[in-house]
């Protein structure tokens, strides 16, 4: 191989390695990270959050919502995987201003939710929009955590990989003083203002910093989640999380009155 061609080949290989590292970093940013129970105890004792629930592209953040008019802003997220091309975005005016009864039918049983349209109107608006589009139907809850400090099942990714989303992002809500006790429903994210479609269901009191939009409560079906958790994690990653051994597929999401 000529010297010039050899240099081109080496440059190409370097570029491919850099791209592979970048993709790996983005994939890791979408994973739920747990830093180990020993470290968590030390961090919790020190008064800081020891866990992170992440998804989406942390390099792209949503613009602030238009608070003055009570509207919601949903911005394009070009890197979301599995987003239907004709999905569109939720209406700017929130459709719900109070409690929204929701039924989540899964392959393991039914889970009842009450979404908080008062404290998290834009998140509730997005969730109801996606449910109406049957976006969640047939999707797999792709990540389970059973650690002492984080007990949750994460869902809402059409690809089942942790890299999927609806093709739009929106800002955080209801974070002031946010806690994540048993029965909490909250949004997963990859940093401030990167909410999409992935959410997590907390089946046991969890220690998290107030960084994940709380938008509802589990009103029934905690036993379904506990059953899934009891079966454990299949091939856990470095953070101890992974797909649940007992597969959970969302069959349908029904919003009361819709």
């Amino acid at each position: 191989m000529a010297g010039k061609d050899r240099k081109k080949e080496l440059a190409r290989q370097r570029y491919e390695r850099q791209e592979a590292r970048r993709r790996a970093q983005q994939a890791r940013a979408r994973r739920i990270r747990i830093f180990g129970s020993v470290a968590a105890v030390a961090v919790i004792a020190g008064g800081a959050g020891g866990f992170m629930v992440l998804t989406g592209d942390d390099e792209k953040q949503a613009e602030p919502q238009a608070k003055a008019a009570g509207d919601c802003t949903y911005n394009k997220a070009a890197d979301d995987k599995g987003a239907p091309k004709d999905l569109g975005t939720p209406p700017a005016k929130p459709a719900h201003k109070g409690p929204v009864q929701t039924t989540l039918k899964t392959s393991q049983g039914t889970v009842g939710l009450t979404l908080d349209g008062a404290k998290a109107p834009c998140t509730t608006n997005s969730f109801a929009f996606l449910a109406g589009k049957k976006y969640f139907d047939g999707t797999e809850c792709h990540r389970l955590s059973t650690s002492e400090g984080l007990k949750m099942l994460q869902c809402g990714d059409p690809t089942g990989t942790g890299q999927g989303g609806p093709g739009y992002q929106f800002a955080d809500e209801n974070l002031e003083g946010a806690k994540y006790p048993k029965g909490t429903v909250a949004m997963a994210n990859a940093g401030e203002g990167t909410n999409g479609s992935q959410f997590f269901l907390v089946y046991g009191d969890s220690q998290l910093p107030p960084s994940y939009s709380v938008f509802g409560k589990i009103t029934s079906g905690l036993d379904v989640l506990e059953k899934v958790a009891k079966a454990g994690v299949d091939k856990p990653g470095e953070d101890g999380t992974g797909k649940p051994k007992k597969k959970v597929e969302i069959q349908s999401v029904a919003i009361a009155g819709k």
Side-chain angles (χ1 to χ4, degrees):
M1 181 181 294
K4 185 178 294 186
D5 292 339
R6 177 60 176 166
K7 288 181 179 179
K8 288 182 178 179
E9 177 63 17
L10 290 173
R12 183 185 65 80
Q13 291 176 1
R14 281 197 300 273
Y15 173 77
E16 290 178 349
R17 288 195 297 270
Q18 289 170 352
E19 283 296 291
R21 284 196 295 270
R22 183 184 65 81
R23 288 193 294 270
Q25 288 170 352
Q26 288 182 344
R28 284 196 296 272
R30 301 168 195 273
R31 296 172 67 88
I32 297 172
R33 303 184 189 280
I34 301 180
F35 299 109
S37 58
V38 175
V41 170
V43 171
I44 292 167
F51 303 101
M52 296 170 64
V53 181
L54 303 179
T55 183
D57 187 344
D58 57 359
E59 295 178 356
K60 297 183 180 298
Q61 297 187 0
E63 295 293 328
Q65 295 166 345
K67 297 291 186 181
D71 288 354
C72 304
T73 299
Y74 301 98
N75 297 304
K76 185 177 181 180
D79 291 343
D80 278 356
K81 308 298 183 185
K85 292 182 179 179
D86 58 349
L87 180 66
T89 57
K93 293 287 185 184
H96 305 278
K97 296 183 179 180
V100 181
Q101 305 306 316
T102 303
T103 303
L104 202 69
K105 288 189 177 180
T106 81
S107 56
Q108 297 298 331
T110 300
V111 179
L113 311 176
T114 297
L115 308 186
D116 195 337
K119 292 183 178 179
C122 296
T123 307
T124 298
N125 191 46
S126 173
F127 192 90
F129 168 79
L130 293 173
K133 294 286 187 176
K134 300 187 183 302
Y135 173 91
F136 297 114
D137 295 8
T139 62
E140 186 177 344
C141 293
H142 63 280
R143 189 160 296 277
L144 173 69
S145 175
T146 59
S147 77
E148 193 58 36
L150 183 59
K151 298 179 182 296
M152 66 88 220
L153 178 68
Q154 187 169 343
C155 312
D157 174 7
T159 70
T161 65
Q163 300 184 44
Y168 63 82
Q169 294 178 329
F170 57 98
D172 303 316
E173 291 183 302
N174 198 27
L175 294 185
E176 186 174 354
K179 296 184 182 300
Y180 305 87
K182 183 177 183 178
T184 300
V185 184
M187 293 297 294
N189 65 55
E192 183 180 355
T194 59
N195 301 289
S197 60
Q198 293 188 41
F199 63 96
F200 59 100
L201 306 169
V202 181
Y203 65 87
D205 293 349
S206 297
Q207 301 292 331
L208 286 166
S211 303
Y212 310 98
S213 299
V214 175
F215 71 103
K217 294 182 179 179
I218 301 169
T219 54
S220 64
L222 273 168
D223 58 322
V224 173
L225 302 176
E226 290 166 349
K227 175 182 67 175
V228 172
K230 188 175 181 179
V233 178
D234 183 30
K235 299 178 182 178
E238 293 179 2
D239 59 7
T241 72
K243 287 189 177 183
K245 286 184 178 179
K246 195 176 284 290
K247 182 179 178 180
V248 184
E249 181 180 277
I250 296 178
Q251 298 171 336
S252 67
V253 179
I255 304 293
K258 293 287 184 179

